[in-house]
Amino acid sequence: MGYFPFFIDVEGRNGLIVGGGKVAGRKIRKLLPFGAHLTVVAPVVLPQIKKMPGVLVKEREFRDEDMKDCTFVIAASDDRELNHRISQLCKEQNVLVNVVDDKKTCSFLFPALLKRGSFTAGISTEGVSPQIAASVRSKMEEELPGQMESILGYLKELRENVRQSIPDGSLRGKFLKEAALLCMEKDRPLTVEEAKGLFVSCENSASVTGKKNGTVVLVGAGCGPADYITVRGLNEIRKAEVLVYDDLMDEKLLDHASESCERIYVGKRMGVHSMKQEEINALLIRKAQEGKRVVRLKGGDPFVFGRGGEEIQALHKEGIDTALVPGVTSAVCVPALAGIPVTHRGLSRSFHVITGHTADRDDSLPENLDTIAALEGTCIFLMGLSNIQAITDQLIAHGKSPDTPAAVVHGDFNGKSISVRGTLREIAKKTKEVKIPSPAVIVVGETAGIEL
């Protein structure tokens, strides 16, 4: 079934609870803060329910006419037949009904509820596991600012005040969004001075008509599951007005962007480019010149074969401010998922990150493989899976021992990896046999023989 979490205004509306026990009491306590007119009908009603403010109690059997003018009904009696009959009556009269412990007869479900002033969150597992919903609710409560009620009260008043003082709807929306984010960051309402300073900043970047450009922040999405991103990177995604994103990243990260954020996919993989690099540069420039806060989200780290430097240079050439949030690079993360450290005392005191595919060479092989073959430490080749046979052959031809430990590792967005290990002589053949998917990291050196 498709349970969409509508938020319905029940203030002043009639609600009926059939049942007077502990379960009915829990439902009533959830409903009380929302201002509904509640009536409880049951032959026996707990004393604590009778003492609840604003609740009308009728200690008697349920009658069909009790449902008159009700917006919703909760069947919480100990009589399953009665609960089922109430459900049928509600459905015939198009009245919302919740039947305790009988999901099939419900037209709405009670969520695990978190309410702090105007902030309301409902978490549901569609009745599969109320315990998980309650656990998520608890974790969410831990993350809420301590002054959430004060913050929302302040923002409500601020929204009403700027409705007239900032007639430009776009500027007003930008200011209110930035004010909300700043309140969350500071865990309190803004001072008058902070609000004034924020307004000036928003005004300066509101449009391109003689005013300042927006900004572009390059964010490394990390490598692997969404939670490998840095806290700062995640905060930048939440503040983005435009999100320009790549392949090789967990798309769950996109869920952290606001609903109004414009999402633009520019993914690039070897042999498949949805947009050329020059076109991506032009896109970033154009969106920044519209006065937008742009986040360029790139898998791994933007400066490790991510062409982030080229994008920043192009932006600086147009006078656009940039910032960088580094990410966890696949050169370190993916081998680690397979238990391979890139350095290890007594085995490898350095590691070298090398492109495994060079676009400006006819054979597409890395340059200076003779020099690479002589390096001590761990050699890590990125984007080299299609060239693995040629790379290993060339390393051996230039003097690298064919018995050098080697590994190929593919990391997934679930934090797991697929890997194959062997020697430099045999690793290409083994990789082909196992059918390691792309992208994958090639590790050559003594640490490739370690499995932690």
Side-chain angles (χ1 to χ4, degrees):
M1 298 181 73
Y3 291 98
F4 189 86
F6 288 103
F7 283 83
I8 300 173
D9 182 8
V10 297
E11 185 173 7
R13 296 178 181 269
N14 295 325
L16 174 67
I17 296 91
V18 181
K22 291 181 179 179
V23 175
R26 288 199 296 269
K27 303 291 186 182
I28 295 168
R29 277 190 288 272
K30 282 188 174 184
L31 287 165
L32 281 176
F34 296 90
H37 295 158
L38 301 178
T39 299
V40 176
V41 175
V44 179
V45 178
L46 290 176
Q48 52 264 45
I49 293 179
K50 295 178 181 179
K51 295 177 182 178
M52 290 180 178
V55 177
L56 176 62
V57 175
K58 298 179 180 180
E59 282 193 292
R60 58 166 172 75
E61 297 291 344
F62 166 77
R63 301 169 187 165
D64 291 4
E65 57 266 28
D66 290 330
M67 290 178 45
K68 184 180 179 182
D69 298 327
C70 282
T71 300
F72 62 91
V73 174
I74 299 167
S77 78
D78 296 330
D79 186 337
R80 292 183 65 86
E81 289 186 8
L82 173 60
N83 290 345
H84 183 73
R85 186 166 73 84
I86 291 170
S87 174
Q88 288 298 115
L89 287 170
C90 287
K91 290 175 181 179
E92 290 169 6
Q93 298 177 34
N94 291 321
V95 175
L96 292 171
V97 63
N98 175 266
V99 181
V100 173
D101 294 332
D102 193 354
K103 176 184 169 184
K104 291 182 179 179
T105 58
C106 294
S107 60
F108 77 94
L109 302 179
F110 264 81
L113 195 63
L114 176 57
K115 183 168 176 61
R116 295 289 179 272
S118 297
F119 177 88
T120 304
I123 304 101
S124 172
T125 60
E126 297 189 0
V128 173
S129 176
Q131 181 55 48
I132 287 180
S135 178
V136 172
R137 175 203 173 281
S138 178
K139 291 179 181 179
M140 184 184 293
E141 187 167 22
E142 291 176 6
E143 295 295 322
L144 284 181
Q147 294 194 46
M148 177 57 84
E149 290 187 47
S150 298
I151 289 171
L152 289 174
Y154 165 77
L155 291 173
K156 180 181 179 180
E157 184 178 347
L158 184 66
R159 180 177 292 273
E160 293 169 355
N161 290 340
V162 300
R163 194 180 302 276
Q164 298 298 326
S165 59
I166 309 179
D168 185 323
S170 176
L171 175 58
R172 185 170 64 247
K174 185 179 183 70
F175 170 70
L176 290 171
K177 178 179 179 180
E178 295 294 335
L181 291 170
L182 193 55
C183 285
M184 291 287 285
E185 181 181 316
K186 293 180 176 295
D187 191 12
R188 60 169 174 78
L190 303 182
T191 64
V192 174
E193 291 74 18
E194 287 169 339
K196 287 181 178 178
L198 183 62
F199 172 72
V200 171
S201 175
C202 291
E203 190 176 36
N204 287 340
S205 62
S207 71
V208 296
T209 54
K211 297 181 181 179
K212 291 177 64 178
N213 292 322
T215 58
V216 178
V217 183
L218 271 69
V219 175
C223 182
D227 57 2
Y228 280 19
I229 195 171
T230 62
V231 172
R232 179 170 293 184
L234 198 59
N235 285 336
E236 290 295 339
I237 293 173
R238 289 167 176 157
K239 294 186 288 185
E241 294 175 294
V242 180
L243 188 62
V244 181
Y245 65 98
D246 270 349
D247 275 315
L248 307 183
M249 47 158 275
D250 191 338
E251 291 197 4
K252 292 177 184 176
L253 291 171
L254 305 182
D255 295 337
H256 291 273
S258 68
E259 289 188 2
S260 61
C261 177
E262 181 182 4
R263 295 164 173 80
I264 304 174
Y265 170 71
V266 294
K268 296 192 301 178
R269 292 196 184 194
M270 191 175 67
V272 182
H273 289 194
S274 65
M275 191 177 288
K276 294 180 180 179
Q277 185 61 52
E278 293 75 15
E279 294 173 330
I280 294 173
N281 295 349
L283 172 66
L284 296 174
I285 291 167
R286 185 170 71 253
K287 290 300 177 181
Q289 287 176 339
E290 292 174 6
K292 302 292 181 61
R293 182 196 291 269
V294 182
V295 167
R296 173 71 170 105
L297 188 62
K298 304 172 77 73
D301 182 275
F303 283 179
V304 181
F305 299 127
R307 305 188 73 171
E310 297 173 47
E311 294 175 358
I312 285 182
Q313 286 177 333
L315 290 160
H316 284 179
K317 187 176 179 180
E318 299 297 325
I320 295 166
D321 292 337
T322 64
L324 173 72
V325 180
V328 179
T329 173
S330 61
V332 176
C333 176
V334 172
L337 290 174
I340 300 173
V342 295
T343 63
H344 192 78
R345 184 177 177 86
L347 287 181
S348 175
R349 291 182 172 84
S350 64
F351 68 94
H352 314 272
V353 184
I354 306 146
T355 178
H357 185 274
T358 306
D360 54 3
R361 285 173 57 96
D362 292 339
D363 59 8
S364 74
L365 290 177
E367 298 175 321
N368 305 318
L369 278 168
D370 55 340
T371 303
I372 295 169
L375 291 172
E376 296 182 355
T378 308
C379 291
I380 300 162
F381 294 87
L382 304 183
M383 304 174 292
L385 189 60
S386 63
N387 284 336
I388 186 170
Q389 186 68 67
I391 290 171
T392 54
D393 287 348
Q394 287 292 310
L395 290 175
I396 292 171
H398 288 297
K400 199 78 169 176
S401 170
D403 295 322
T404 303
V408 176
V409 187
H410 167 80
D412 214 336
F413 296 138
N414 59 9
K416 297 180 180 179
S417 67
I418 304 170
S419 63
V420 59
R421 297 168 184 261
T423 63
L424 193 59
R425 179 192 293 111
E426 63 189 2
I427 193 65
K429 180 182 177 183
K430 282 190 169 185
T431 299
K432 186 176 181 180
E433 291 172 348
V434 175
K435 297 181 180 179
I436 294 285
S438 179
V441 175
I442 303 168
V443 185
V444 178
E446 295 303 319
T447 62
I450 298 176
E451 189 167 0
L452 299 177

